[in-house]
């Protein structure tokens, strides 16, 4: 088996659907609107550095107008105990099209992403579905996933990977993903501090430790070998690090943040392991230039590790295909 290191990037692309239940109107608008300036800059960097990236996209973003969105909703909605978590009661208040409502429609951005090479369009579920919240069911999740897969098929894209919103991974739902053609998902880092439950039950200690881990690898590099990932029922490609956005109050620690990421990438390249970096485009929607400069520094280092150690950039779909090939090869050797 090749000992070549792997660099994976996945982005949780959701616009306002990802924060509708967290922020009241206008509170996060600058970040959401800034996505339209950030995504072209991110794509240019990816093309320049030959980065294969996975864009896990909320299905509701595929539409450019309200009429078409309403005509393509799932046949079941999530019955969350906390009704504020559902976006469906908010649909009537949407603008008529993407021009009028750039917070909720993203068809033009999806088209732009697909115009660039080596970009995978994955799913972030249709409605930013929360798999660990009380009240929802497996049947409702399956209806959501089917709607997401179908709308991608209508623009000629097959859905091979999923990123669960808020990283709420329900292991019982992985078989649903497999039944609908999905091959991989982004799992958690291998530490108790990254184990996720219902959103409002996350303790402050976990959040503080996760923040610290972005600057100093308290819990290790979170890299792993591709031949050791779980492949059943679908391939688990755990995250290694969240690319925390620039914040003025923490800028004096940015050198630590960059050093932490670069060190982990170096270790993955040297050991022939996987480093999986992720963030949301709306994390870059504010302080865009500072965030793009930081990402540039990361990708310059990726390029150096490619030249020195053969580090390769893969989408989640490409990495999961490799994981399955490796497993089949090892099985044959065992026989």
């Amino acid at each position: 088996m090749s000992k070549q290191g792997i660099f994976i990037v996945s982005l949780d692309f959701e616009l306002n659907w990802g924060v509708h239940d967290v922020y009241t109107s206008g509170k996060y608008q600058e970040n959401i609107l800034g996505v339209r300036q950030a995504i072209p800059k991110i794509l240019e960097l990816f093309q320049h550095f030959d980065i294969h990236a996975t864009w896990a996209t909320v299905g509701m973003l595929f539409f450019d107008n309200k009429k078409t969105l309403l005509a393509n909703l799932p046949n079941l909605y999530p019955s969350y105990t906390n009704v504020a978590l559902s976006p469906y009661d908010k649909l009537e208040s949407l603008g008529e099209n993407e021009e009028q409502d750039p917070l909720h429609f993203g068809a033009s951005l999806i088209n732009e992403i697909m115009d660039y090479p080596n970009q995978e369009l994955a799913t972030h579920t249709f409605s930013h579905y929360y798999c660990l919240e009380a009240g929802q069911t497996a049947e409702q999740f399956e209806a959501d996933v089917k709607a997401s897969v179908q709308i991608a098929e209508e623009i000629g894209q097959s859905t091979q990977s999923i990123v669960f919103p808020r990283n709420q991974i329900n292991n019982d739902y992985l078989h649903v993903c497999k039944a609908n053609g999905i091959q991989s998902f982004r799992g958690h880092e291998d530490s108790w501090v990254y184990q996720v439950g219902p959103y409002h039950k996350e303790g402050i200690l976990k959040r503080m430790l996760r923040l610290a881990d972005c600057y100093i690898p308290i819990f290790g590099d979170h890299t792993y070998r591709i031949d050791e990932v779980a492949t059943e029922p679908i391939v688990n490609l755990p995250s290694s690090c969240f690319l925390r956005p620039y914040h003025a109050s923490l800028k004096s620690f940015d050198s630590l943040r960059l050093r932490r990421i670069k060190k982990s990438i170096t270790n993955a390249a040297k050991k022939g392991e996987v480093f999986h970096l992720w963030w949301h485009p709306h994390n870059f929607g504010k302080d865009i230039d500072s965030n793009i400069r930081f990402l540039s520094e990361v990708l310059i280092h990726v390029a150096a590790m490619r030249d020195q150690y053969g580090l390769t950039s893969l989408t989640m779909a490409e990495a999961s295909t490799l994981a399955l090939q490796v497993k089949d090869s090892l099985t044959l050797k065992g026989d």
Side-chain angles (χ1 to χ4, degrees):
M1 188 196 76
S2 171
K3 296 294 184 181
Q4 191 173 44
I6 298 168
F7 179 66
I8 301 175
V9 168
S10 58
L11 301 99
D12 301 11
F13 181 30
E14 54 198 35
L15 293 184
N16 203 60
W17 298 117
V19 297
H20 73 91
D21 55 320
V22 178
Y23 297 103
T24 56
S25 179
K27 288 279 184 148
Y28 201 63
Q29 186 165 303
E30 181 180 358
N31 283 74
I32 301 299
L33 292 177
V35 168
R36 295 180 181 272
Q37 287 74 53
I39 283 180
K41 294 179 182 293
I42 293 170
L43 287 167
E44 288 170 8
L45 278 182
F46 286 172
Q47 184 173 40
H48 179 76
F49 289 100
D50 191 22
I51 299 299
H52 297 211
T54 296
W55 297 76
T57 306
V58 169
M60 288 181 171
L61 293 183
F62 280 74
F63 304 94
D64 61 6
N65 67 82
K66 179 177 176 179
K67 181 179 179 181
T68 309
L69 168 59
L70 295 178
N72 286 274
L73 299 178
N75 58 8
L76 293 174
Y77 299 165
S79 53
Y80 302 123
T81 302
N82 178 0
V83 295
L85 297 176
S86 177
Y88 289 101
D89 291 341
K90 303 176 176 74
L91 295 180
E92 288 303 324
S93 64
L94 299 182
E96 291 302 317
N97 52 48
E98 187 172 356
E99 183 177 1
Q100 290 183 14
D101 193 347
L103 300 177
H104 295 99
F105 296 104
S108 67
L109 292 171
I110 292 170
N111 289 337
E112 186 167 8
I113 292 166
M114 292 297 94
D115 281 342
Y116 279 76
N118 303 313
Q119 305 303 299
E120 176 194 5
L121 199 62
T123 185
H124 202 36
T125 73
F126 187 84
S127 64
H128 204 254
Y129 191 103
Y130 303 131
C131 295
L132 295 179
E133 298 296 339
Q136 53 79 37
T137 69
E139 291 76 18
Q140 294 163 358
F141 173 72
E142 182 162 30
D144 183 284
V145 168
K146 285 182 179 295
S148 183
V149 169
Q150 181 176 338
I151 191 58
E153 287 178 350
E154 290 181 8
I155 64 168
Q157 298 295 319
S158 65
T159 303
Q160 295 179 267
S161 307
I162 185 169
V163 171
F164 291 92
R166 304 234 166 104
N167 293 312
Q168 291 191 6
I169 298 165
N170 188 327
N171 290 324
D172 293 336
Y173 291 1
L174 297 179
H175 290 282
V176 173
C177 295
K178 183 174 184 177
N180 285 277
I182 295 171
Q183 179 173 279
S184 71
F185 72 102
R186 189 181 70 210
H188 307 129
E189 291 91 331
D190 187 19
S191 169
W192 69 271
V193 77
Y194 288 98
Q195 299 305 306
V196 174
Y199 182 66
H200 295 289
K201 294 184 179 179
E202 282 285 289
I204 189 158
L205 175 61
K206 276 189 174 183
R207 294 184 183 184
M208 293 300 293
L209 287 172
R210 289 199 294 257
L211 171 63
D213 197 42
C214 286
Y215 293 87
I216 303 170
I218 300 171
F219 301 98
D221 290 321
H222 306 300
T223 61
Y224 50 91
R225 289 167 46 138
I226 196 67
D227 61 332
E228 294 180 344
V229 302
T231 57
E232 291 295 337
I234 60 176
V235 179
N236 180 7
L237 298 169
S239 55
S240 302
C241 184
F242 170 55
L243 183 58
R244 188 164 290 278
Y246 171 87
H247 197 287
S249 65
L250 295 171
K251 66 180 180 180
S252 59
F253 298 102
D254 271 357
S255 60
L256 278 178
R257 185 164 63 102
L258 181 61
R259 186 186 310 164
R260 181 256 192 270
I261 293 173
K262 289 171 67 173
K263 178 178 177 292
S264 296
I265 293 171
T266 298
N267 287 342
K270 286 182 175 180
K271 296 177 182 178
E273 295 184 343
V274 179
F275 181 81
H276 188 164
L277 187 67
W278 74 277
W279 70 97
H280 310 84
H282 63 64
N283 295 136
F284 280 27
K286 186 178 179 181
D287 301 308
I288 296 173
D289 290 341
S290 295
N291 283 307
I292 290 296
R293 278 196 297 271
F294 191 92
L295 178 59
S296 297
E297 292 296 323
V298 172
L299 298 185
I300 287 169
H301 186 68
V302 169
M305 293 300 96
R306 177 187 288 140
D307 292 343
Q308 188 170 357
Y309 298 106
L311 182 70
T312 186
S313 174
L314 298 179
T315 64
M316 287 178 61
E318 291 168 339
S320 60
T321 296
L322 177 60
L324 292 170
Q325 290 172 346
V326 169
K327 179 183 177 182
D328 287 344
S329 175
L330 293 174
T331 300
L332 288 173
K333 286 181 180 179
D335 292 342

